[in-house]
Amino acid sequence: MLSIREDKEIETLLLKSEALLKGHFILSSGLHSNRYVQCAKFFQYPAYAELAAQKLARLYQDTPIDVVIGGAFGGITIAYELARALGVRGLFCERVEGIFQLRRGFEIKPGEKVLIAEDVVTTGKSIDEVAQLVKQHGGEVVGVASLVDRHMPDPEKLPYRFEWLHSVQAEAFDPASCPLCLEGKEPAIKPGSRGMK
Ligand code: ZN
């Protein structure tokens, strides 16, 4: 089982940058939730990105790594900063007709040890897709590093070493039985409607 991690310094910056909102939200799925996470708000501050990358790099300091890769768009900034902190190459992959690919002349050479970087891991699905790409190029996935873990219900789905800085335990509710609605507190808001996507 994965454990809950609370990096108070990172939590403070997540809240300060409004990357982490506590309240009453309508998720894109239509469910209501007491938490909303938009890591891009955190990464708009290079100093925050640098600090997070240094913390993640420390967790992997004894692991040989040749390259860090992030999936566009969420993984780009953290992959770059993590590559800087580790002193290795930083790449990103992007979707072409829905499938992650290496473009722009980026290469992973056979046998290279690759660290996958993410801003937030929820189901592990996109991590899996990036890992498939790494393997197609002959690379070896040595682990996954993420700013936030949304506490995956099924951690076995991520068969790699996984390090993250802060756990966000969001609860999701059916609107018909949402306890926040029933409490009659402030009505649920769609974060996108306030300019957040
Ligand atoms: Zn509600």
Side-chain angles (χ1 to χ4, degrees):
M1 275 298 288
L2 291 173
S3 57
I4 301 296
R5 288 184 192 168
E6 289 186 330
D7 185 314
K8 286 294 175 194
E9 194 177 12
I10 293 296
E11 184 183 37
T12 300
L13 297 179
L14 284 166
L15 290 166
K16 196 174 162 192
S17 61
E18 298 184 330
L20 173 59
L21 301 176
K22 298 181 177 181
H24 188 192
F25 305 101
I26 305 171
L27 304 178
S28 52
S29 60
L31 297 175
H32 288 192
S33 181
N34 58 350
R35 296 279 186 281
Y36 185 79
V37 183
Q38 175 47 278
C39 291
K41 300 270 282 186
F42 177 95
F43 287 115
Q44 69 185 308
Y45 300 101
Y48 296 6
E50 182 181 31
L51 177 71
Q54 285 167 351
K55 285 173 182 272
L56 287 168
R58 227 169 283 143
L59 293 167
Y60 277 101
Q61 63 185 357
D62 296 324
T63 306
I65 292 165
D66 298 307
V67 57
V68 182
I69 187 169
F73 290 93
I76 293 179
T77 308
I78 186 63
Y80 189 80
E81 285 294 332
L82 195 43
R84 187 209 302 273
L86 289 165
V88 301
R89 284 168 19 246
L91 313 180
F92 62 87
C93 55
E94 54 203 296
R95 291 187 191 277
V96 179
E97 291 173 359
I99 311 289
F100 272 137
Q101 299 199 1
L102 281 181
R103 300 187 71 200
R104 303 165 198 272
F106 285 152
E107 282 182 294
I108 295 171
K109 299 183 189 79
E112 281 197 312
K113 298 186 186 311
V114 182
L115 179 62
I116 298 174
E118 260 294 11
D119 55 348
V120 53
V121 173
T122 304
T123 63
K125 189 169 171 289
S126 68
I127 293 291
D128 191 49
E129 292 176 56
V130 177
Q132 295 307 321
L133 176 73
V134 170
K135 290 174 192 169
Q136 278 165 25
H137 286 264
E140 180 196 339
V141 177
V142 296
V144 175
S146 181
L147 174 68
V148 166
D149 167 46
R150 295 198 63 184
H151 203 55
M152 293 180 293
D154 194 1
E156 301 84 62
K157 282 187 178 162
L158 199 62
Y160 311 102
R161 178 179 169 195
F162 180 34
E163 302 286 357
W164 71 99
L165 299 178
H166 191 72
S167 303
V168 172
Q169 291 188 87
E171 294 174 89
F173 311 106
D174 191 297
S177 56
C178 171
L180 300 167
C181 285
L182 294 172
E183 279 172 33
K185 293 211 171 149
E186 80 276 29
I189 59 161
K190 248 198 181 109
S193 66
R194 283 176 37 186
M196 292 173 273
K197 286 230 155 121

Short mmCIF file of all heavy atoms in Angstrom, two decimals, residues 24-25 32-33 173-175 178-182 186-188, ligand 1:
data_model
loop_
_atom_site.label_atom_id
_atom_site.label_comp_id
_atom_site.label_asym_id
_atom_site.label_seq_id
_atom_site.Cartn_x
_atom_site.Cartn_y
_atom_site.Cartn_z
N HIS A 24 -15.80 23.26 -2.37
CA HIS A 24 -16.92 22.48 -2.91
C HIS A 24 -16.91 22.68 -4.42
O HIS A 24 -17.23 23.76 -4.90
CB HIS A 24 -18.21 23.02 -2.27
CG HIS A 24 -19.42 22.19 -2.58
ND1 HIS A 24 -20.69 22.65 -2.31
CD2 HIS A 24 -19.56 20.96 -3.11
CE1 HIS A 24 -21.56 21.71 -2.68
NE2 HIS A 24 -20.91 20.68 -3.17
N PHE A 25 -16.52 21.63 -5.15
CA PHE A 25 -16.25 21.79 -6.58
C PHE A 25 -17.01 20.78 -7.43
O PHE A 25 -17.30 19.67 -6.97
CB PHE A 25 -14.74 21.63 -6.85
CG PHE A 25 -13.91 22.55 -6.02
CD1 PHE A 25 -13.27 22.09 -4.88
CD2 PHE A 25 -13.82 23.89 -6.33
CE1 PHE A 25 -12.53 22.95 -4.07
CE2 PHE A 25 -13.08 24.77 -5.54
CZ PHE A 25 -12.44 24.28 -4.40
N HIS A 32 -19.09 15.84 -7.44
CA HIS A 32 -18.69 16.94 -6.56
C HIS A 32 -17.49 16.50 -5.72
O HIS A 32 -17.34 15.31 -5.42
CB HIS A 32 -19.86 17.34 -5.64
CG HIS A 32 -20.95 18.06 -6.36
ND1 HIS A 32 -21.97 18.72 -5.72
CD2 HIS A 32 -21.19 18.22 -7.69
CE1 HIS A 32 -22.79 19.26 -6.61
NE2 HIS A 32 -22.34 18.96 -7.83
N SER A 33 -16.66 17.45 -5.34
CA SER A 33 -15.48 17.11 -4.56
C SER A 33 -15.14 18.22 -3.58
O SER A 33 -15.54 19.38 -3.76
CB SER A 33 -14.29 16.85 -5.48
OG SER A 33 -13.15 16.49 -4.71
N PHE A 173 -18.13 12.86 -4.78
CA PHE A 173 -19.50 12.50 -4.41
C PHE A 173 -20.45 12.62 -5.60
O PHE A 173 -20.31 13.54 -6.41
CB PHE A 173 -20.03 13.44 -3.31
CG PHE A 173 -19.09 13.61 -2.15
CD1 PHE A 173 -18.39 14.79 -1.99
CD2 PHE A 173 -18.91 12.59 -1.22
CE1 PHE A 173 -17.52 14.96 -0.91
CE2 PHE A 173 -18.05 12.76 -0.15
CZ PHE A 173 -17.35 13.94 0.01
N ASP A 174 -21.41 11.74 -5.63
CA ASP A 174 -22.53 11.89 -6.56
C ASP A 174 -23.29 13.16 -6.14
O ASP A 174 -23.58 13.33 -4.96
CB ASP A 174 -23.44 10.66 -6.45
CG ASP A 174 -24.46 10.64 -7.56
OD1 ASP A 174 -25.31 11.57 -7.61
OD2 ASP A 174 -24.44 9.70 -8.36
N PRO A 175 -23.59 14.04 -7.11
CA PRO A 175 -24.27 15.29 -6.75
C PRO A 175 -25.56 15.05 -5.96
O PRO A 175 -25.91 15.85 -5.08
CB PRO A 175 -24.58 15.94 -8.09
CG PRO A 175 -23.64 15.32 -9.06
CD PRO A 175 -23.30 13.95 -8.55
N CYS A 178 -24.38 14.34 -2.36
CA CYS A 178 -23.16 15.03 -1.92
C CYS A 178 -23.37 15.63 -0.52
O CYS A 178 -24.27 16.45 -0.32
CB CYS A 178 -22.83 16.14 -2.92
SG CYS A 178 -21.53 17.23 -2.36
N PRO A 179 -22.55 15.23 0.45
CA PRO A 179 -22.72 15.74 1.81
C PRO A 179 -22.50 17.24 1.91
O PRO A 179 -23.09 17.91 2.77
CB PRO A 179 -21.68 14.97 2.63
CG PRO A 179 -20.74 14.38 1.66
CD PRO A 179 -21.45 14.26 0.35
N LEU A 180 -21.67 17.78 1.02
CA LEU A 180 -21.41 19.22 1.05
C LEU A 180 -22.66 19.99 0.60
O LEU A 180 -22.99 21.04 1.13
CB LEU A 180 -20.23 19.57 0.14
CG LEU A 180 -18.90 18.89 0.52
CD1 LEU A 180 -17.88 19.04 -0.61
CD2 LEU A 180 -18.35 19.43 1.82
N CYS A 181 -23.37 19.42 -0.39
CA CYS A 181 -24.64 20.02 -0.82
C CYS A 181 -25.67 19.89 0.30
O CYS A 181 -26.40 20.84 0.62
CB CYS A 181 -25.18 19.31 -2.07
SG CYS A 181 -24.32 19.71 -3.59
N LEU A 182 -25.70 18.69 0.93
CA LEU A 182 -26.71 18.44 1.97
C LEU A 182 -26.49 19.33 3.19
O LEU A 182 -27.45 19.74 3.85
CB LEU A 182 -26.68 16.95 2.37
CG LEU A 182 -27.11 15.97 1.28
CD1 LEU A 182 -26.87 14.53 1.69
CD2 LEU A 182 -28.58 16.19 0.91
N GLU A 186 -21.71 26.57 0.90
CA GLU A 186 -21.63 27.32 -0.35
C GLU A 186 -21.85 26.37 -1.53
O GLU A 186 -21.43 25.22 -1.49
CB GLU A 186 -20.31 28.08 -0.46
CG GLU A 186 -19.12 27.24 -0.91
CD GLU A 186 -18.43 26.48 0.22
OE1 GLU A 186 -19.09 26.11 1.21
OE2 GLU A 186 -17.23 26.22 0.08
N PRO A 187 -22.54 26.83 -2.59
CA PRO A 187 -22.83 25.95 -3.71
C PRO A 187 -21.55 25.52 -4.44
O PRO A 187 -20.54 26.24 -4.40
CB PRO A 187 -23.71 26.79 -4.63
CG PRO A 187 -23.53 28.20 -4.19
CD PRO A 187 -23.09 28.18 -2.76
N ALA A 188 -21.61 24.36 -5.09
CA ALA A 188 -20.45 23.83 -5.80
C ALA A 188 -20.09 24.74 -6.97
O ALA A 188 -20.97 25.26 -7.65
CB ALA A 188 -20.75 22.42 -6.32
ZN ZN B 1 -22.05 18.99 -3.70
#
